[in-house]
Amino acid sequence: QVQLVESGGGSVQAGGSLRLSCTASGYTSSSLTMGWFRQAPGKEREGVAAIDNGGSTLYADSAKGRFTISKDNAKNTLYLQMNSLKPEDTAMYYCAADFFVVAHLRHRDYPYWGQGTQVTVSS
């Protein structure tokens, strides 16, 4: 069983930055593919970025050039550095984990989820 706990959300003005963290327990993060997803009110959950156990990354078009996903296996922690934030980035952000060997953004295929952390970007 994998447990995930997110932190680092908050409120920021457009153009600002936030760094989200997700600490995993139960399994070492080096054996996991992990991802960040978000869900705004009234919208479907969508993938933001993922990183596999080899360090290969995958980004949604909305995140490319602004967000960076990384993983510190020594700390069992996943990060999402978000720069140049826009009001449309406002959502609940979730960390997820999977044992699939390739990074992917198919949220329905991730079996393990954190409780989420809110990100609010004001204009």
Side-chain angles (χ1 to χ4, degrees):
Q1 188 77 3
V2 179
Q3 292 84 40
L4 303 170
V5 178
E6 302 99 331
S7 61
S11 297
V12 64
Q13 289 192 326
S17 298
L18 283 173
R19 188 176 81 155
L20 306 183
S21 300
C22 171
T23 301
S25 60
Y27 278 88
T28 57
S29 60
S30 59
S31 63
L32 299 170
T33 284
M34 300 183 74
W36 287 101
F37 296 79
R38 66 187 183 186
Q39 188 166 18
K43 294 188 177 182
E44 189 173 344
R45 189 167 297 190
E46 63 176 2
V48 176
I51 184 168
D52 65 26
N53 55 10
S56 295
T57 58
L58 177 67
Y59 292 92
D61 287 344
S62 59
K64 289 178 181 177
R66 299 189 301 128
F67 295 179
T68 302
I69 189 171
S70 61
K71 190 166 49 156
D72 185 336
N73 292 325
K75 296 183 179 180
N76 258 10
T77 301
L78 177 73
Y79 301 100
L80 184 69
Q81 177 66 45
M82 303 187 294
N83 299 328
S84 303
L85 282 162
K86 305 174 182 179
E88 51 263 45
D89 295 317
T90 296
M92 184 72 77
Y93 282 70
Y94 297 91
C95 168
D98 184 13
F99 288 105
F100 198 67
V101 296
V102 176
H104 67 93
L105 294 176
R106 302 184 302 273
H107 65 88
R108 293 182 175 86
D109 291 342
Y110 277 83
Y112 304 105
W113 291 85
Q115 81 289 350
T117 186
Q118 178 67 38
V119 171
T120 302
V121 184
S122 59
S123 57

